[in-house]
Amino acid sequence: MNAADPLAERRVGTGIPGLDRMLGGGLVAGRPFLVTGGTGSGKSLLGLQFLLEGLRHHEEVLLVAVDEPPSEIMENVRSFGWDLSQVKTLDANPGTRAIKRNMAVQEIRTMTDLKSMRDLSQDTKRGSDAEEISIQSIQLKLRQQMADKPFRRVVVDSITSVRRFTIKASADPQAERTEIQSLLRFLSESGVTALITATPSDPGVLTPEEILTRGEILLTRKWVGDRSIRQLKIVRMRGAAHDPERRPFVITNQGIVLG
Amino acid sequence: MTVEHAPDPSADGRVSTGTPGLDAMLEGGLVSRRPYLIVGPSGTGKTTLALRFLCEGVRHGEHVLFVTMEEPPNEVRVNHRGLGEDLLGVDVFDAIPDIMRYERVPFKDIAAVRHAAPFAEIPLEIRRSPELAAVEVTMTGLEQMLRTEVVRRNYSRVVIDSLTAFQYFCMKGFDPVAGAQAFLRFLSDLKVTTLLTVESPLEDADTPERTLARGEIRLFRWELEGRTVRAIGVEKFRGSSHDVRLHPYRIGGPGLQVNLNVTISRDTRQIIEEPRLPEVAPTIPASAGIESSASPFDSLAEEVRDLVLIGAEVGAVRTEIEAALGAAAAGEIDRSRGHISRAQALALDLSDALRRRMEESPPVAPGVAEAYQRIVERSEAARAGIPPTRLPPTQALQIQLEWVLSTIPRAPAAVGTPMVEVPAGSSARAVVEGTAAPSLAFEDREAEVPPPPALSAAPAGTPHGPTGIPSTAEPEAPFPAVEGKPSEPVETLSEPPESTTPTPSLPTLSPEALPQPANAPAAAAEPFRGTPGEPGESGSPALPVPLLEAPSTNAWAPPTERLPPPPNEAEPERALPPQGWSAPTLPGGPLPTPRRKTRLPDEPAPPAPGPASRPLPSAERDRRPPLPFRGAEPEPPLSQLPARSASPDRPRTTYAPVPAPAAPPPLREQAAASRSAGSGAVQPPPSRDLASGPLAVRQVEPRKAEGTAPRPPGTGSPVVVAAPPPTFVPPLVAPASSASTPPSTEPASALGRESPTGMGSAPSAPPKRKRRASPSPRKKAAAAVPTGTTPLVPAPPSDTAAAAAASPRPAAMSVGTAPEVTTDGGAAIAAPKPKRRAPRKRTAPTVVRARAGAIPSAEPPPKAEAPGATPAPSESGPPNEEP
């Protein structure tokens, strides 16, 4: 908190001033956080703003894009006028082959490299040529990348998709939990401030990322007549005084703007 | 809060939680050396609460340990620096698994690699996973670590944060629940006051672990009117009374600030302003030196465990608990509450009876002697069956009930268990009831439904509503049939045709019919009798008819008529047990045989009868009144009776019979119908009888199954009903007898007795005798007659003939088939034992299946009538199977 406190954690801006205020200064650096919300609630946008904020501070940032191929993300944010060219993207979209590589995006292909990594892994479960994305492969890839350029901010969009695409992992809940635990631990140990997006789990189901992330931001959208009302709530935030109430926000050409 | 808060000096052995407000809610603090849970969704302050608990220990110079499994120690230290210097004195053990390398690296057990160290020595940077040796965190490793560390450092307080993470990441190869259970047991043996945090995704969500710990502190977080509200409550606290209300709190300063002046409603979640209410609501009436348990389940489980140790027949208790579970599964909390109360009462009765019996020659065997000692102590204390005034959310309730069930041996030890001593005393009643328990369950339902009223008018059907849609209701009826006697279902089918016209009404009726069965004996009988019988036969759409016939027909009426005859003879005796439920009673008849068999062993106990009988009478008296009311009263009595719960249960059963008396006179047919309805419920028992004496036990098992897969349909009770089928038979007899007996106040008993003992026996006291007497007869009958199946099948025909209702008779045919159906359905559940089916399937699933399946082919075989009947589906079901 105050500079005099040796234990005070460093805070990282989210790129959304209103949210930073709610968080009491921003996210605590070096920890993983969860952003949950339904489709179209603004999770990805929040993640991108978080990364762009990092770019403004000349940090190395990485987007692990599972939901959407990088090219589409580029298209989507065009209206905001954002420059994503410096955002490294781990194109983890399973249908990646069919997508034309957009040179504006520095893609980190997972496939080729991962294959070699897999060979090294102690228990290779996948076929050699299947272009699968898995929690394990993401971790291995990140680890490789971290060696030369340590990222400060990482967004995984979304963990729900990773889980969905990783059939083998979902077949074994224990293994999946362990993999997610390992990934989050890896991010923590790497000093990365990470945002993991997820669609809300079924009520009553507790996902490992819910347990392991240090905070959770919930985005909701409801319709009143023909108007959509978007709200943001900090569900939990370990070790940080925060605004626990639901706050409305809008998406403008500046991205997410919190009142 | 004030850090200085001093625990109540009078509270010896209490451990302050470091959160003054919580200590007040706990009446001084936690009882030391036990494991407790802090349950709540993330972000509610579980870790904060736990750390405060440790810091409190540090303040007192104790050695305390924090085992972190979610949050890295360095982050814990930073996040909770607000706790001040005390935190630095807390030893922390980093039980977070390393990064998976996905490479071949040697694994080391965490116990060998890491050690606890005070927070003061925890670096601010996160620990780095070793490159070469991954540390594996396993349950055994942690237990090993805890065992050595606790000895080494003499820890007096330990926190595991969190048990959820422990289950998620450290239990490879273990079942999470079983693993947690084992771990909690381990902690219990460790003799250290332990707090475990548990993450619950929803505020009301339940976790299996909560049943395992000695206490549970629950943190809630709701969004009310756009505002986030946090509340804390003590959900369970063994060995002490406590504040059962929810109080709001906020996280700030050094920990949780609980506002004891404000209470938050558990249901509406609104703030309740209760200026002057006592802060602490005594959970239990002052009992002589005996620890009161906050949870009715705890005391119940304890009692039952001891009873089991002594070798008592706890099948009845189990049956009640299963019924409660079924009700809970169906979302019928009130009914569940009734069953729980009855279970408690049964357990208390058993204890009392055992105590009386064993006073002369106390057991010597180790374990048994101790259990006996505990029972004596408890019974000397002013025990009160503590009626669960507030039950946890259904899901939690189910889990807790399952937990209690898990403490009761399924094995029909009863049969072999001679210990039946129970019979001797009042316990005998309990036993009987136990067998009858299923029927009781019915009663409850009935009670809920208000059968009597229902009988009179279709509205009753609506009441059934509980079941939900008419169709739903039907399922229930089917169940009985399925469970008990397939034949019944068939009958139903046949009837439907007749009632075809009333189809719409039928659904309603059918539901009512069910209730009626229970009530039928008593109230229903009088009014309808005339009509019932007629309607059934004529198939006239008249309201009465529909109720009786249609409803009953679908499931019950037909069966009753047909079945009754055969059962009558055998069942009479049983009538007593079922008594509570008129129908059940009848069913009981068939069941009785088995029961009796079981009882027989018990019978030896008779010596005790005197005492037992005495208690019973009183109980019966009490209960009798309730029975008449059945619908509403049953439960109330339970709750009211709690203290006397034991007696109440029995009484109820007995009473049920009483009401029946009135009915009997009216008309045999009606009675039969009612019985049939009841029998529907009872049927299962017959099957059980057939299968074996220890019906109760078996039934239990089924129920359990049901519990797990509890179907939404409130039909849970229906399942119970299934048991009644056997009863049906008895009812037939009973009706006849009833005609003669009507005068007698005891309907059920009368009915049952008619065949067996005859009216001779007195209502209240006699029952026991009758039972005893009947048992042997029944046994004989059972043995000879074919208790279950054979008799049933034959019976239906005769009944049908008697009934003269063509459709019904077809039903009889169907009955034969019906069983099959049930079996099939049951097979799914448990092919081996029909019993199970009945109980579990009560939920209706089985029924539904049967119906569904039956509909197609079933009708054809039965007769044209079947098609006609609206109920066709259910009816048809049975027929199909028959083919």
Side-chain angles (χ1 to χ4, degrees), chain B residues 528-552:
Chain B
F528 298 91
R529 288 182 181 177
T531 29
E534 296 175 1
E537 296 178 357
S538 64
S540 67
L543 291 177
V545 176
L547 292 173
L548 296 172
E549 295 181 358
S552 57

Side-chain angles (χ1 to χ4, degrees), chain B residues 690-761:
Chain B
L690 295 172
S692 67
L695 295 174
V697 176
R698 294 180 180 178
Q699 290 181 355
V700 175
E701 292 181 4
R703 291 181 178 180
K704 286 183 176 182
E706 293 181 2
T708 42
R711 293 193 177 183
T715 39
S717 53
V719 181
V720 178
V721 179
T727 324
F728 282 101
V729 178
L732 294 175
V733 179
S737 62
S738 68
S740 62
T741 21
S744 68
T745 47
E746 305 170 355
S749 64
L751 295 173
R753 293 174 183 176
E754 289 181 358
S755 59
T757 337
M759 299 305 292
S761 64

Side-chain angles (χ1 to χ4, degrees), chain A residues 122 182 189 206 214 246, chain B residues 75 100 103 129 168 223:
Chain A
Q122 96 180 35
S182 178
E189 288 191 24
L206 194 64
R214 317 298 204 275
R246 213 176 265 270
Chain B
E75 293 184 18
M100 276 177 68
E103 296 163 4
S129 294
Y168 267 48
E223 220 171 275

Side-chain angles (χ1 to χ4, degrees), chain A residues 1 5 7 31 121-122 136 139 143 174 178 182 185 189 206 214 233 235-236 238 244-246, chain B residues 42 70-72 75 78-79 81 99-100 102-103 124 127-129 168 221 223 226-228:
Chain A
M1 320 270 262
D5 185 350
L7 291 179
R31 301 181 184 176
S121 66
Q122 96 180 35
Q136 175 183 346
Q139 181 189 316
R143 185 176 166 198
Q174 274 288 359
T178 306
S182 178
R185 176 78 192 178
E189 288 191 24
L206 194 64
R214 317 298 204 275
K233 178 183 179 178
V235 178
R236 61 194 164 92
R238 281 189 188 273
E245 304 301 338
R246 213 176 265 270
Chain B
S42 59
E70 290 185 6
E71 212 178 358
E75 293 184 18
V78 169
N79 293 345
R81 58 184 178 280
I99 297 172
M100 276 177 68
Y102 301 111
E103 296 163 4
L124 295 183
R127 173 181 59 80
R128 294 308 188 105
S129 294
Y168 267 48
R221 182 184 55 210
E223 220 171 275
R227 292 210 55 221
T228 298

Side-chain angles (χ1 to χ4, degrees), chain A residues 193-226:
Chain A
T193 310
L195 284 187
I196 315 291
T197 68
T199 50
S201 57
D202 294 336
V205 175
L206 194 64
T207 58
E209 60 267 20
E210 284 178 84
I211 298 174
L212 295 169
T213 51
R214 317 298 204 275
E216 179 176 344
I217 296 170
L218 173 68
L219 302 178
T220 56
R221 178 165 70 155
K222 64 178 180 181
W223 292 92
V224 175
D226 59 349

